[in-house]
Amino acid sequence: MEYTNNPDFYQSLISAKEVLRRVQRSKAWLYKQLSKNAFPRSVKIGTRSISFIESEVEHWIKEQISASRDGRHEGHQWLC
């Protein structure tokens, strides 16, 4: 396989624990968001283990910050 400069090729995975640290939420919150398709999809890396694509999580965080600054999330459930 030939390596390219394609940024998608260099995606990295982060653990669910790291995701929770970054978004400062509980495991229950994360799984609820996943069930509602309100958070980037996980990647199954083992029989009982998931990770997330770091760039997708970072994009989601940036969207939340932007929406918060624009006042679009006032009263939305994810803030609870």
Side-chain angles (χ1 to χ4, degrees):
M1 172 185 261
E2 187 174 325
Y3 294 96
T4 65
N5 287 332
N6 182 349
D8 292 335
F9 185 80
Y10 298 103
Q11 293 179 341
S12 58
L13 297 175
I14 57 174
S15 68
K17 184 176 183 176
E18 176 62 16
V19 169
L20 296 174
R21 185 191 70 76
R22 291 185 187 192
V23 300
Q24 300 180 9
R25 294 290 177 201
S26 69
K27 191 184 235 185
W29 175 89
L30 177 61
Y31 283 100
K32 185 174 183 178
Q33 299 309 303
L34 290 171
S35 73
K36 297 188 308 184
N37 292 320
F39 196 81
R41 291 179 53 200
S42 60
V43 176
K44 190 169 178 86
I45 60 169
T47 56
R48 296 178 49 142
S49 185
I50 61 171
S51 287
F52 293 84
I53 299 172
E54 185 175 26
S55 61
E56 292 178 358
V57 173
E58 288 300 316
H59 179 75
W60 183 90
I61 291 170
K62 288 176 185 176
E63 284 182 331
Q64 302 314 302
I65 293 168
S66 178
S68 174
R69 301 263 166 90
D70 293 342
R72 291 181 299 198
H73 279 293
E74 290 183 30
H76 281 169
Q77 189 173 11
W78 71 268
L79 291 173
C80 299

